[in-house]
Amino acid sequence: MSGDLLQELDALEREAERELATAQTRAETEAWYSRYLGRKGALTQALRNLGSLPPDLRPQVGRRANRLKQRLEQALKERQEAIRQAEIQDRLAAEKVDVTLPGRRPSVGRLHPTTRTLREIYRIFGQMGFQIYDAPEVETDEYNFTLLNIPEGHPARDMWDTFYTTTPGVILRTHTSPGQIHAMREYAPEPIRVILPGKCYRHEDVTARAEMMFYQVEGLAVGRKITFADLKGVLVNFVDQMFGQGRRLRFRKSYFPFTEPSVEVDVDCVLCAGQGCRVCKYTGWLEILGAGMVNPVVLRNGGYDPARFSGFAFGMGPERIAMLRYGVDDIRYFYTNDVRFLEQIG
Ligand code: FA5
């Protein structure tokens, strides 16, 4: 009887060990535990028969059974540890980082073409002794029009379609020219030489050449004996430096209420080499600025005596200049926030 039980325990040990060796997961080891060591497990069942043995044999078989139980529990622990280690190894292999791979290149930002063009404009006019003067973007009707010799009801107001605010008389400036009045009133009767950069707003039909929001750089020089030749010299020097020597410049007579005489200045279109394209409206020329001698009415509004002072002024569009410099054929690219546009202009 005892021999049977001992044999049975031997067989059970061999079988349990063989099975445990094939367990690959924690769940399989747990199933193995209930099969052999659990409440209804094979070893537990075998030990139930211990009571039916003659009393003198019980200790020997009991010891054997206890040792077996300890051995199996120990084997289970080892197997579970081995599985845990294998899992860790698998995870490490799966999550392996190849430190020899090339790194990801961080994308480097760059300045917007308008900003770069503006800075170049500041540099060129800085060399000619012009200072930057900051004037407001939100203006009054009086500064944007009236003080610039465009009284209410004057047909010239039709030249600029305006964004109004909910406050009567307060508008978004349609050009940087109202800054002329601010600068003159601050410095009169001293001579001045300033540029006034900033954003302007017009209710325009947006096209390849015209945006609703765009920059202008205004220039203003007031002093004694300033003539149209000074204006021309300054602009020729500017264009030479901005586009390189040899660009052709064209002065066309024009009309602005705040200058007299007035001109519009074109450079030959670098996109089509003067052949005619969509950007230059098939004329071969691209208008970059309006200019003229400051109207005496405006000088007086700024605090200068027109009998003793004269001046010139101009207003240019830096996006139009950037289009020429970088070969951009549509102004809408500037502010639609498509990063591919910025990446192309290196
Ligand atoms: C004016 O705004 C005048 N204040 C310029 C001026 C200043 C004349 C001082 C005389 C003395 P005009 O509307 O033509 O003029 O605009 C001047 C320049 O701004 C244009 O030559 C062009 O380069 C740019 N510009 C005008 N409208 C737009 C627009 N919708 N989108 C982009 N650029 C524009």
Side-chain angles (χ1 to χ4, degrees), residues 62-227:
R63 266 198 306 277
R64 166 81 177 102
N66 271 333
R67 266 206 316 277
L68 176 57
K69 188 164 184 237
Q70 279 165 10
R71 267 218 297 280
L72 291 182
E73 276 168 354
Q74 180 61 26
L76 173 68
K77 247 199 240 142
E78 282 166 14
R79 186 71 203 139
Q80 285 180 333
E81 179 57 20
I83 290 171
R84 204 173 71 85
Q85 289 299 335
E87 278 171 2
I88 290 174
Q89 290 309 322
D90 283 355
R91 243 204 359 252
L92 285 178
E95 293 171 6
K96 198 156 110 186
V97 175
D98 184 351
V99 291
T100 66
L101 282 175
R104 284 194 197 115
R105 198 178 284 277
S107 55
V108 180
R110 63 192 78 166
L111 292 175
H112 191 278
T114 304
T115 305
R116 286 164 58 185
T117 306
L118 283 170
R119 290 189 181 180
E120 184 64 5
I121 294 171
Y122 303 159
R123 189 189 67 73
I124 297 170
F125 283 105
Q127 277 183 351
M128 291 190 270
F130 285 78
Q131 295 188 352
I132 296 179
Y133 187 90
D134 233 354
E137 275 177 39
V138 180
E139 265 299 357
T140 58
D141 195 279
E142 188 190 12
Y143 271 80
N144 197 79
F145 296 115
T146 316
L147 292 170
L148 293 173
N149 196 30
I150 320 173
E152 219 167 302
H154 191 288
R157 288 203 178 203
D158 296 345
M159 287 162 78
W160 299 287
D161 238 342
T162 313
F163 285 110
Y164 286 87
T165 68
T166 48
T167 312
V170 175
I171 59 169
L172 298 181
R173 67 177 173 193
T174 57
H175 53 172
T176 44
S177 299
Q180 288 187 28
I181 304 286
H182 290 291
M184 285 195 271
R185 287 189 169 178
E186 187 167 335
Y187 289 105
E190 297 299 320
I192 48 172
R193 222 182 288 175
V194 288
I195 53 171
L196 308 104
K199 289 182 204 130
C200 305
Y201 304 85
R202 292 184 193 175
H203 191 266
E204 299 243 21
D205 285 335
V206 173
T207 65
R209 308 177 67 245
E211 262 289 0
M212 278 201 218
M213 191 284 297
F214 55 95
Y215 278 81
Q216 279 190 346
V217 178
E218 190 88 4
L220 173 70
V222 179
R224 293 172 194 270
K225 300 198 176 79
I226 289 186
T227 68

Side-chain angles (χ1 to χ4, degrees), residues 12-23 25-38 41-42 68-69 71-77 79-80:
L12 198 140
E13 180 174 10
R14 279 195 302 275
E15 194 189 316
E17 280 176 347
R18 203 181 56 242
E19 253 186 56
L20 185 60
T22 65
T25 63
R26 210 183 154 79
E28 280 169 18
T29 60
E30 276 158 10
W32 176 90
Y33 177 85
S34 27
R35 247 185 343 268
Y36 291 98
L37 299 174
L68 176 57
K69 188 164 184 237
R71 267 218 297 280
L72 291 182
E73 276 168 354
Q74 180 61 26
L76 173 68
K77 247 199 240 142
R79 186 71 203 139
Q80 285 180 333

